[in-house]
Amino acid sequence: DSLKLAKEINKRCEALGRVMDVLVEVNCAGEESKSGVEPGSAEALVCDIINECPALRVRGLMTVAPAAEDPEEVRPYFRQMRELMAEMNSRLEGHILEELSMGMSHDFEIAIEEGATMVRIGTAIFGARDYSK
């Protein structure tokens, strides 16, 4: 979600002689409680990482939509992400973003309908987290 973080990961990968696939986190709803670059700054960050972090391979974008009772309420955010990635791919020369990680246990169906290639469904598989421990 930042060039500073990307440079640190890049430094560690170079020290190990490895290349790492990464996704750029986009804060699609501008929520202060979530990390991520603003949608309008995502393309510049992707370009900076491509140009300044040779041990990182930017594979795509990821987001966490706002919490909503009705999964349909998050559809516009997922659509925005799909459109953002398509716009970026039309301008990025020699680099194509292929992965779009969005959607969690409660809204993954909507995310898939809107173009997600990765979903995070841990709660649906393992159940709710126990924070009491």
Side-chain angles (χ1 to χ4, degrees):
D1 64 2
S2 72
L3 184 57
K4 179 181 176 184
L5 178 58
K7 285 182 175 183
E8 180 61 28
I9 296 169
N10 183 74
K11 181 173 80 175
R12 293 179 187 206
C13 287
E14 286 183 328
L16 295 170
R18 296 192 175 165
V19 175
M20 180 182 286
D21 290 341
V22 298
L23 302 176
V24 170
E25 183 174 7
V26 178
N27 187 339
C28 62
E31 294 177 281
E32 289 190 25
S33 63
K34 293 190 177 140
S35 298
V37 63
E38 295 177 6
S41 300
E43 186 171 342
L45 178 57
V46 167
C47 289
D48 287 345
I49 294 169
I50 290 169
N51 292 324
E52 298 182 38
C53 301
L56 302 183
R57 241 185 336 244
V58 181
R59 298 297 311 266
L61 305 176
M62 69 86 56
T63 196
V64 177
E69 286 289 321
D70 179 3
E72 279 296 331
E73 292 178 34
V74 297
R75 186 181 293 276
Y77 298 104
F78 294 152
R79 183 173 297 129
Q80 173 192 13
M81 289 295 296
R82 176 177 39 84
E83 292 170 352
L84 175 63
M85 192 168 86
E87 289 171 18
M88 290 171 64
N89 277 335
S90 73
R91 290 189 293 269
L92 291 173
E93 293 183 23
H95 193 93
I96 298 293
L97 303 177
E98 298 174 341
E99 304 296 345
L100 187 54
S101 176
M102 56 187 190
M104 295 169 57
S105 293
H106 62 285
D107 58 13
F108 73 91
E109 293 99 340
I110 303 295
I112 291 170
E113 288 173 6
E114 291 298 335
T117 60
M118 295 180 181
V119 294
R120 297 173 303 280
I121 54 172
T123 300
I125 296 170
F126 301 110
R129 292 183 184 154
D130 180 2
Y131 291 102
S132 67
K133 296 179 182 179

